[in-house]
């Protein structure tokens, strides 16, 4: 076994040409035609078996995740749990959601209409490096269950774990060819992938999301865009410090700050600012950092030296413009090529990079607030709207605050995991954080087109032979009123 992320190349990945990508789609399309004809129950049996294989191989998957991304063991293992959770949810829910639904037609008794869900065809998935196994596999699972083929493009840094996951799905009985992988740099692979797809599922930065959305729009295909955040946490004055501290530390530093939903801004009540700040800084300062396949280090590496430089540049920019480093603030090449200390800043303003754009590293800014109104205003003062967190002992009060935050997800007394792991509820971003959602019924139905199959049992639309058209119109208008009164329409 290779060491946990060293910065060295692990393998040479073949880089797909446009012709390779077109061939991958052609193969997936051929397999999809048969797959879509399988009864849903038979398709779901594959995922039932895959669930067992994915859980039984969690440690091998975690090894691959750590080697390619440098994340710590806790995050690697937790990531392996995501596809099985998605499978469990949709095994239960898909038969209900995908079943044809019979609805009334325009004329009671003699007409009907049925909502039928048909697969889109072949879905293109573009995945980021921060959760390559979860975004590569979990977003494909509902697409496949709904009868689609999939072509996934992982990030070049993190293709091994999704490749292993696809092998497990095939071992579980997924027809060969149905789930294809293409590799390459985004701008090289993206255009052909989008032009060949019937729907695009993208997870990544807001800047790339705009490029993907534009191209999907030109092709008149649907897309779901799960993008970045600048996620706030509001701590209310009745918070229980011990309850809050661990949740906040994980919310900021989990996956070394490379979780799209992680917290980058914490708003603390002025009356308890010193107490809460000192407790948080003390916790951050004592976090353990390192590269190991055991559960020892609380913090792993960042994904690459380039990304480490980007995180460092946000801290340097903040300090140059007047912010204070309360703890951390430095890269740690002595630990590994892309390690950065858990960092807590104070005095960050919107003029600083760390104050307005996503840092995506183990860096957080603390801010005091005087009133809840001010905290809500500051939390909403961003172009993003992916995730937020509210902490307080009085749940009703915390929920009232949560309702005022402009965000696709809000966690109360947790930072992020509760919302993300609630697979029955759609999860997505608002504002510049995305379009559409994963999870919930929406996360399955987005991979289908609706076909409206309508039946007319008797020719009653239009004037009857010999009926005067004025009389027919009069009859039609009065039946509209009658149907409304009887609540038929
Ligand atoms: P990125 O946008 O640079 O890359 C994401 C993927 O898109 C990669 O596979 C990349 O190769 C590809 N790509 C890049 N340019 C492309 C193009 N022009 N056409 C097609 N594909 C292209 O993002 P990243 O830095 O890899 O990932 C981190 C970002 O992802 C952060 O902003 C994070 O918040 C976000 N993210 C969001 C969610 C969510 O659910 N909202 C989840 C995970 C990560």
């Amino acid at each position: 076994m290779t060491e946990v992320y060293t910065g060295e190349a692990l393998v040479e990945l073949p880089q797909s040409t446009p012709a390779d990508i077109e061939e991958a789609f052609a193969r997936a399309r051929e397999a999809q035609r048969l797959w879509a004809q399988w009864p849903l129950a038979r398709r779901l049996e594959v995922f039932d078996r895959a669930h067992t294989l994915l859980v039984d191989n969690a440690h091998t998957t975690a090894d691959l995740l750590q080697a390619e991304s440098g994340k710590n063991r806790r995050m690697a293992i937790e990531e392996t749990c995501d596809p099985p959770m998605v499978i469990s949810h949709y095994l239960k829910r898909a038969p209900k959601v995908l079943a044809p639904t019979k609805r009334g037609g325009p004329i009671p008794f003699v007409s009907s209409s049925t909502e039928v869900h048909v697969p889109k065809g072949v879905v293109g998935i573009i995945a980021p490096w921060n959760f390559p196994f979860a975004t590569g596999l979990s977003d494909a699972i509902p697409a496949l269950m709904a009868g689609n083929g999939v072509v996934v493009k992982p990030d070049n840094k993190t293709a091994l774990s999704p490749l292993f996951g696809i092998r497990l799905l095939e071992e579980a009985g997924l027809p060969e060819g149905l789930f294809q992988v293409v590799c390459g740099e985004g701008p090289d692979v993206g255009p052909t992938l989008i032009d060949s797809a019937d729907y695009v599922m993208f997870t990544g930065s807001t800047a790339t999301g705009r490029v993907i959305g534009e191209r999907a729009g030109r092709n008149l295909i649907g897309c779901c865009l799960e993008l970045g955040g600048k996620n706030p946490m509001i701590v209310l004055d009745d918070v229980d410090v011990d309850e809050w501290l661990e949740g906040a530390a994980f919310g900021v530093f989990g996956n070394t700050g490379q979780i799209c939903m992680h917290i980058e801004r914490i708003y603390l009540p002025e009356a308890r600012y010193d107490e809460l700040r000192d407790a948080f800084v003390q916790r951050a300062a004592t976090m353990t950092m390192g590269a190991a396949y055991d559960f020892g280090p609380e913090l792993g590496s960042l994904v690459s030296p380039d990304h480490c430089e980007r995180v460092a540049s946000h801290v340097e920019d903040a300090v140059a413009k007047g912010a204070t480093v309360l703890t951390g603030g430095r890269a740690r090449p002595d630990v590994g090529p892309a390690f950065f200390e858990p960092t807590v800043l104070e005095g960050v303003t919107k003029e600083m990079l760390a104050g307005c754009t996503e840092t995506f590293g183990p860096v957080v800014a603390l801010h005091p607030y005087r009133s809840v109104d001010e905290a809500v205003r500051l939390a909403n003062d961003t172009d993003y709207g992916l995730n937020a967190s509210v902490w307080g002992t009085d749940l009703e009060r915390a929920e009232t605050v949560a309702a005022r935050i402009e965000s696709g997800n809000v966690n109360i007394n947790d930072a992020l995991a509760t919302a993300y792991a609630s697979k029955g509820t759609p999860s997505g971003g608002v504002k510049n954080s995305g379009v559409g959602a994963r999870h919930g019924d929406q996360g399955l139905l987005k991979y289908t087109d609706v076909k409206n199959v309508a039946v007319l049992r008797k020719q009653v639309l239009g004037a009857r032979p010999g009926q005067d058209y004025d009389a027919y119109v009069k009859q039609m208008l009065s039946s509209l009123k009658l149907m409304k009164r009887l609540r038929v329409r």
Side-chain angles (χ1 to χ4, degrees), residues 87-98:
I87 289 178
S88 286
H89 171 69
Y90 286 121
L91 280 179
K92 196 173 64 198
R93 194 68 194 144
K96 290 190 194 80
V97 176
L98 294 177

Side-chain angles (χ1 to χ4, degrees), residues 126-131 135 153-157 184-191 193-194 201-209 211-212 225-229 231 258-261 307 310 358 360 384 386 420 427-429 433-434 438:
I126 302 176
W129 45 259
N130 68 327
F131 284 94
T135 50
K153 190 210 92 61
D155 190 285
N156 265 339
K157 292 187 272 302
E185 292 303 329
D188 301 335
V189 172
L193 185 137
I194 297 167
M201 171 73 213
F202 172 78
T203 307
S205 63
T206 296
T208 311
V211 176
I212 308 284
L225 307 172
E226 299 292 341
L227 311 176
N231 309 305
Q258 304 163 113
I259 306 180
C260 55
M261 289 166 80
H307 189 53
R310 176 196 148 93
E358 185 183 41
F360 217 49
Y384 295 101
L386 183 59
Y420 198 78
S427 171
S433 289
R438 52 165 66 96

Side-chain angles (χ1 to χ4, degrees), residues 48-379:
D48 204 345
R49 289 189 293 272
H51 186 283
T52 309
L53 286 172
L54 289 165
V55 173
D56 289 351
N57 285 280
H59 280 281
T60 307
T61 309
D63 289 345
L64 288 170
L65 277 166
Q66 286 198 269
E68 63 189 0
S69 73
K71 62 177 66 193
N72 75 347
R73 192 69 178 176
R74 171 181 172 182
M75 283 317 302
I77 283 289
E78 287 187 9
E79 183 172 353
T80 70
C81 298
D82 194 67
M85 286 172 75
V86 168
I87 289 178
S88 286
H89 171 69
Y90 286 121
L91 280 179
K92 196 173 64 198
R93 194 68 194 144
K96 290 190 194 80
V97 176
L98 294 177
T101 309
K102 201 160 184 185
R103 311 201 181 272
I107 317 278
F109 310 115
V110 295
S111 66
S112 68
S113 150
T114 305
E115 183 181 322
V116 178
H117 299 284
V118 293
K120 292 264 183 197
V122 180
V123 173
I125 296 182
I126 302 176
W129 45 259
N130 68 327
F131 284 94
F133 188 70
T135 50
L137 240 61
S138 298
D139 285 330
I141 287 161
L144 293 163
M145 283 179 172
N148 297 284
V150 168
V151 177
V152 68
K153 190 210 92 61
D155 190 285
N156 265 339
K157 292 187 272 302
T158 50
L160 301 184
S161 58
L163 278 165
F164 180 60
I166 293 168
R167 203 172 85 185
L168 295 177
L169 292 190
E170 289 180 350
E171 218 175 287
L174 196 75
E176 220 169 286
L178 187 68
F179 196 164
Q180 298 279 328
V181 182
V182 294
C183 290
E185 292 303 329
D188 301 335
V189 172
T192 314
L193 185 137
I194 297 167
D195 292 352
S196 310
D198 300 304
Y199 185 86
V200 176
M201 171 73 213
F202 172 78
T203 307
S205 63
T206 296
T208 311
R210 287 186 202 280
V211 176
I212 308 284
E214 232 173 83
R215 195 154 188 126
R218 257 207 315 273
N219 292 350
L220 297 178
I221 58 168
C223 65
C224 177
L225 307 172
E226 299 292 341
L227 311 176
K230 188 77 195 167
N231 309 305
M233 174 183 283
I234 297 179
V235 181
L236 297 172
D237 55 11
D238 63 347
V239 74
D240 176 325
V241 189
D242 297 332
E243 286 269 311
W244 166 70
L245 201 52
E246 279 311 305
F250 178 75
V252 171
F253 302 117
N255 211 41
T256 323
Q258 304 163 113
I259 306 180
C260 55
M261 289 166 80
H262 96 120
I263 300 299
E264 301 208 347
R265 304 177 283 145
I266 300 184
Y267 297 98
L268 300 172
E270 198 174 48
R272 292 183 68 184
Y273 185 78
D274 290 354
E275 169 206 358
L276 296 169
R277 176 196 59 192
D278 293 350
F280 189 79
V281 169
Q282 166 73 9
R283 180 69 189 92
T286 53
M287 284 193 122
T288 55
M289 206 167 51
Y293 283 111
D294 60 37
F295 288 95
E298 292 177 285
L299 229 73
S301 173
L302 287 165
V303 75
S304 66
D306 281 357
H307 189 53
C308 192
E309 268 173 39
R310 176 196 148 93
V311 172
S313 73
H314 277 215
V315 175
E316 283 156 19
D317 172 76
V319 171
K321 290 174 181 161
T324 308
V325 176
L326 299 177
T327 184
R330 290 176 308 144
R332 290 291 299 273
D334 54 315
V335 187
F339 276 85
F340 198 88
E341 290 174 338
T343 300
V344 184
L345 303 176
E346 200 176 43
V348 169
T349 65
K350 281 199 78 183
E351 283 63 50
M352 304 170 186
L353 288 172
C356 59
T357 62
E358 185 183 41
T359 303
F360 217 49
V363 179
V364 69
L366 305 184
H367 303 273
Y369 69 83
R370 282 194 202 89
S371 68
V372 171
D373 283 351
E374 186 190 13
V376 169
R377 183 179 57 74
L378 293 170

